[in-house]
Amino acid sequence: MGTCKICGKNLGFFQSLSGNTLCPECKKAEQEKIDLAKNAAIQQLHNFLTKNLNAKTDQELIEWGMSDATKKTIESSAHSIKSDEKIFILCTATAKESKYIKSVRQNIGTSLPFFGLKGWRMYSSAGQSVPIYDYRVVGSGIIALTDKNIHLCALSGKPIKIPYNKIEGFHLYKDGLEVYHGTQKPTLFIFSEVDSLQSDVIGHIIDLYTR
């Protein structure tokens, strides 16, 4: 039989056989420490996001605190983030770009009863061609919003950089962001594991830099 590596208490036969190195009491205490640390980190993140959400101008935004090693990893996976760019928020996402499928003709006009013939109608319409698009995945990784650009730091696929001064509009969804930039087709970012506060901050930062 083994012993608990923290308190030294003898472990039962089946506990040792299953590979446990902690007694139930020490295992519970260690899990409580992990939960406390996780809750503290979540609260710290919440406070940081709230401050940036309340920023009235882009100068009031607070830079995301990260180690030099983490920042270097982000920069290398983006291939475009400059060392002097301030990073305000990060979240994991998949990037999709629209792909033209076909055009359909759509009639826009009025429908009127045809005089003297019951059940017949006369249509007055102007036809127009409406393009239909689909989206294809082009990359996935980490979205970084800086003081100059939106970056996709791609862990797979291609990296993306969208300067704020090229953005003509954007739409924020519950779990995603669609950006219209330049003459290009829109880029759609699908967030993974992002809460409503993070999503609101992303939209707020883009709004501050595109006013």
Side-chain angles (χ1 to χ4, degrees):
M1 290 191 301
T3 58
C4 175
K5 68 178 185 179
I6 293 179
C7 69
K9 183 189 295 184
N10 287 331
L11 301 175
F13 174 75
F14 290 106
Q15 285 182 314
S16 298
L17 193 64
S18 62
N20 286 330
T21 58
L22 299 177
C23 68
E25 292 79 10
C26 290
K27 191 173 183 179
K28 181 181 179 181
E30 286 299 299
Q31 187 59 50
E32 288 176 351
K33 288 181 183 177
I34 292 172
D35 291 342
L36 284 173
K38 182 179 179 180
N39 290 337
I42 291 174
Q43 186 60 49
Q44 186 179 11
L45 173 62
H46 185 277
N47 294 339
F48 169 82
L49 292 173
T50 301
K51 288 179 181 177
N52 270 354
L53 186 60
N54 291 331
K56 299 295 187 292
T57 65
D58 55 335
Q59 288 84 10
E60 294 177 16
L61 291 171
I62 304 168
E63 190 173 0
W64 181 270
M66 67 178 76
S67 66
D68 291 339
T70 301
K71 190 168 184 179
K72 187 173 289 187
T73 300
I74 296 297
E75 290 170 357
S76 63
S77 61
H79 304 301
S80 57
I81 292 184
K82 306 301 181 184
S83 59
D84 62 342
E85 285 188 64
K86 295 179 179 179
I87 299 174
F88 296 122
I89 190 169
L90 303 169
C91 73
T92 55
T94 298
K96 297 182 177 183
E97 289 182 350
S98 59
K99 180 182 179 182
Y100 174 79
I101 301 298
K102 62 180 180 179
S103 292
V104 296
R105 191 165 184 79
Q106 187 178 74
N107 291 325
I108 302 172
T110 58
S111 171
L112 302 171
F114 194 80
F115 180 75
L117 294 177
K118 185 177 180 180
W120 289 71
R121 300 185 73 84
M122 178 176 65
Y123 292 90
S124 173
S125 63
Q128 67 177 20
S129 183
V130 178
I132 303 298
Y133 293 96
D134 194 9
Y135 282 90
R136 61 186 180 90
V137 175
V138 293
S140 62
I142 301 170
I143 283 186
L145 268 69
T146 76
D147 57 340
K148 296 181 176 65
N149 310 285
I150 300 173
H151 295 272
L152 177 71
C153 312
L155 303 177
S156 65
K158 70 172 186 178
I160 295 172
K161 180 176 77 171
I162 304 175
Y164 292 122
N165 60 12
K166 298 291 185 182
I167 294 177
E168 297 176 350
F170 69 95
H171 189 91
L172 193 65
Y173 301 98
K174 182 179 178 181
D175 61 349
L177 169 71
E178 191 167 25
V179 182
Y180 305 90
H181 48 107
T183 58
Q184 300 181 42
K185 298 167 187 172
T187 301
L188 178 65
F189 298 101
I190 305 297
F191 304 143
S192 56
E193 298 182 3
V194 64
D195 61 27
S196 58
L197 180 57
Q198 285 175 293
S199 180
D200 288 345
V201 172
I202 288 170
H204 184 60
I205 291 173
I206 298 173
D207 182 57
L208 288 177
Y209 277 102
T210 55
R211 285 179 181 175

